[in-house]
Amino acid sequence: MAKEIRLNAFEMNCVGHGTHGLWVHPENTRHRYTELAYWIELARLLERGLFDALFIADVIGTYDVYKGSRDTAVREALQIPNNDPFLVVPAMAAVTEHLAFACTFSTTYEPPFPHARRMSTLDHLTNGRVGWNVVTSYLPNAAANFGLDGMVKHDERYAIADEFMEVCYKLWEGSWEDEAVVRDRERGVYADPAKVHEIAHVGKYFRVLGPHLSEPSPQRTPVIYQAGTSARGREFAARHAEAVFVGGGNVEGVRESIADIRRQAAALGRDPQHVKMFPSCQIIVGRTRAEADAKRAEIQRLLSVEGMLAHYAGSSGFDLSRYQPEEYLEYRDTDHGQTSARRYTQGKRRTAREVIEAIGKLGDGTLFFTCGTPEEVADTLERWIDETGADGFNLSQHLTPRTFADVIDLLVPELQRRGRYRTSYPPGPYRERLLGPGQARLPTGHPGAVYRRAAAVAVA
Ligand SMILES: Cc1cc2nc3c(=O)[nH]c(=O)nc-3n(C[C@H](O)[C@H](O)[C@H](O)COP(=O)(O)O)c2cc1C
């Protein structure tokens, strides 16, 4: 049977997320991101469209690499101002029943103990509908905000991330036994002290005694997402991720990334199908080809090349303002994001002028882009899913709420007609929706599962 296509909405608690310059469009409501009503309306819309999850990106520094200044970022609202992704979730959870929320949090600068508690709190409040997008941060300004003299080196960030995960797993999976909470009113015992454990973690980067302050939540460990596809990033994904936001704009590249991560996951003893894959995707859909093309032209007209260049400089480390137009861009390891650094430096050599032209063009080939009628877009999505082994898409917005509303009103019915999209939500927590009934907790084979008490006793 043909695989159902899942959709996640790619969002951020800010004005300019990934396609810059568009906030000025009269229909774009992104400047309302400071209002609770904005998030409530968005969550209701996505649940009406039977989306799997709302994925909220985040950064903890500003983009100040381009021209050695943050001015472009501030002027264009490029991820600054930028509010906290976690704090909008409870309001959205209160008005939805199924939609999941995957929030981004970096393992590089803040310690694991309070983060683990925040995630447990959200997992309780959402009744098991949270995920965590684990990032390691690529902006030098973030390091300065947390008291460091410079960026932590790329691969060391992943080493910190590995230990951060270990601490979290110990807190979520190992600290409280399933039977610890007894709520015995007769005896006045809420929890059995013998079944609540310190974790006594002592490692290279963290020392955490415990116990975890939260009692076990529906999923215990939130669904783990990851998005970096450097060699080290893939290794991290293969070990920890239950869902991966795969970058890359052509079928071959995405298929290769997916196959590689799944191969590495299998080598680590995990079920490779327990790693769900969501390539980034931009969709412009219209009732007719002419309507879709007109929407595309309107968005292209507003797209800010300066904003896109400032974004690219921060995420890749390549400041194109410092290049001569005919100078070639050559790959070099940067301590920014290596996925971004590779974006225009793999395959055919390109000059700075060619890269700038590509960056300023919608659908520049670095992520999946499709524009057309519902039938045309559905054909393309089906092909991408079938040819890459992906499970769905991480859908970026151009205009809020129009991008998502168009997909829900025009594309989703077409996919449903083809049996390629759910017609109702299955019950249960987020992880069950990804892995199947009865699988609310981390599956055996996942590195976090070894910290479960029952598992530890069985091994002893
Ligand atoms: C779809 C997608 C979404 C991402 N979202 C974020 C984010 O919200 N915050 C962040 O700091 N990094 C984000 N990243 C960057 C990665 O998580 C990663 O930190 C970066 O690519 C550097 O890792 P790498 O060198 O392994 O590519 C995202 C990457 C992709 C492909």
Side-chain angles (χ1 to χ4, degrees):
M1 205 177 77
K3 200 193 256 181
E4 272 189 5
I5 297 174
R6 297 164 183 271
L7 293 178
N8 286 329
F10 192 28
E11 256 291 350
M12 194 160 174
N13 195 351
C14 67
V15 179
H17 176 195
T19 38
H20 302 292
L22 302 179
W23 71 271
V24 301
H25 188 288
E27 274 179 51
N28 208 347
T29 62
R30 295 204 63 78
H31 60 284
R32 288 183 53 219
Y33 76 100
T34 54
E35 296 171 27
L36 217 44
Y38 172 90
W39 295 98
I40 286 171
E41 288 161 22
L42 180 64
R44 284 192 169 129
L45 172 70
L46 298 175
E47 186 152 281
R48 175 165 76 74
L50 305 171
F51 271 48
D52 240 21
L54 171 60
F55 166 68
I56 311 179
D58 193 34
V59 292
I60 43 177
T62 193
Y63 288 73
D64 58 5
V65 176
Y66 185 59
K67 298 181 176 169
S69 157
R70 61 178 161 76
D71 289 359
T72 306
V74 174
R75 193 181 306 116
E76 303 218 7
L78 190 180
Q79 302 189 1
I80 179 173
N82 173 35
N83 279 348
D84 190 285
F86 289 84
L87 298 179
V88 291
V89 169
M92 293 191 284
V95 299
T96 52
E97 204 181 326
H98 303 281
L99 184 69
F101 307 94
C103 291
T104 298
F105 185 80
S106 170
T107 50
T108 304
Y109 302 111
E110 295 181 68
F113 187 78
H115 171 67
R117 185 166 69 135
R118 267 197 302 272
M119 292 269 36
S120 295
T121 307
L122 277 186
D123 202 47
H124 280 298
L125 295 179
T126 60
N127 200 17
R129 290 189 278 148
V130 289
W132 166 26
N133 177 39
V134 185
V135 300
T136 59
S137 298
Y138 49 71
L139 292 170
N141 179 245
N145 289 336
F146 290 89
L148 304 184
D149 292 330
M151 287 179 88
V152 181
K153 294 271 171 228
H154 181 271
D155 285 9
E156 185 171 16
R157 293 203 298 266
Y158 278 111
I160 298 171
D162 274 324
E163 192 183 323
F164 194 114
M165 300 306 293
E166 188 185 332
V167 174
C168 287
Y169 296 145
K170 286 175 177 173
L171 291 165
W172 288 325
E173 301 291 330
S175 189
W176 290 62
E177 294 183 31
D178 279 340
E179 299 75 28
V181 176
V182 287
R183 292 190 195 123
D184 186 334
R185 288 177 194 267
E186 297 280 299
R187 292 189 297 135
V189 176
Y190 189 84
D192 178 352
K195 294 186 172 165
V196 178
H197 307 276
E198 271 81 48
I199 64 163
H201 175 88
V202 180
K204 183 170 175 196
Y205 301 104
F206 304 110
R207 291 178 59 182
V208 180
L209 178 60
H212 191 34
L213 294 180
S214 303
E215 63 182 87
S217 63
Q219 301 182 110
R220 282 185 177 252
T221 296
V223 171
I224 303 294
Y225 271 82
Q226 200 271 352
T229 43
S230 64
R232 192 61 185 82
R234 288 184 192 196
E235 196 186 314
F236 183 89
R239 190 176 304 280
H240 302 282
E242 302 180 88
V244 180
F245 291 132
V246 200
N250 60 61
V251 164
E252 296 70 32
V254 170
R255 180 170 52 217
E256 190 273 326
S257 289
I258 290 175
D260 181 45
I261 294 169
R262 286 199 166 132
R263 201 166 34 238
Q264 291 193 50
L268 291 166
R270 297 183 62 196
D271 179 339
Q273 293 309 320
H274 285 176
V275 191
K276 302 297 179 198
M277 301 291 183
F278 296 89
S280 296
C281 179
Q282 294 183 349
I283 295 174
I284 298 176
V285 59
R287 283 171 190 81
T288 61
R289 179 82 226 176
E291 187 184 302
D293 286 342
K295 286 179 180 176
R296 178 182 186 158
E298 182 188 34
I299 292 166
Q300 177 65 63
R301 187 173 55 79
L302 292 175
L303 196 71
S304 160
V305 180
E306 280 288 291
M308 300 305 285
L309 290 174
H311 193 154
Y312 173 69
S315 61
S316 69
F318 288 98
D319 174 4
L320 286 164
S321 74
R322 297 183 193 281
Y323 282 73
Q324 294 303 318
E326 298 311 318
E327 197 176 333
Y328 282 103
L329 210 63
E330 306 287 358
Y331 180 81
R332 59 185 156 79
D333 278 346
T334 72
D335 281 320
H336 296 248
Q338 292 180 3
T339 309
S340 274
R342 270 202 308 268
R343 189 169 301 154
Y344 300 101
T345 55
Q346 304 279 290
K348 182 175 132 330
R349 285 176 91 212
R350 300 200 220 196
T351 63
R353 184 180 48 75
E354 287 170 328
V355 174
I356 292 170
E357 268 170 28
I359 284 178
K361 203 164 138 255
L362 262 187
D364 68 348
T366 59
L367 45 87
F368 280 150
F369 175 88
T370 176
C371 170
T373 62
E375 294 75 21
E376 288 168 336
V377 172
D379 285 348
T380 307
L381 298 192
E382 283 195 74
R383 183 170 60 78
W384 283 338
I385 289 285
D386 295 343
E387 293 183 7
T388 61
D391 300 281
F393 297 97
N394 188 33
L395 183 60
S396 300
Q397 24 67 28
H398 298 116
L399 303 177
T400 304
R402 193 171 88 183
T403 301
F404 298 137
D406 280 354
V407 164
I408 290 165
D409 293 332
L410 303 178
L411 176 64
V412 161
E414 177 61 28
L415 291 172
Q416 285 171 329
R417 254 191 302 280
R418 299 176 182 204
R420 287 290 208 146
Y421 198 84
R422 64 167 65 104
T423 50
S424 64
Y425 282 110
Y430 185 28
R431 185 173 283 108
E432 281 196 24
R433 209 152 70 217
L434 292 175
L435 301 186
Q439 307 232 52
R441 302 272 170 93
L442 279 179
T444 309
H446 189 283
V450 300
Y451 298 106
R452 281 202 286 254
R453 281 282 148 179
V457 170
V459 170

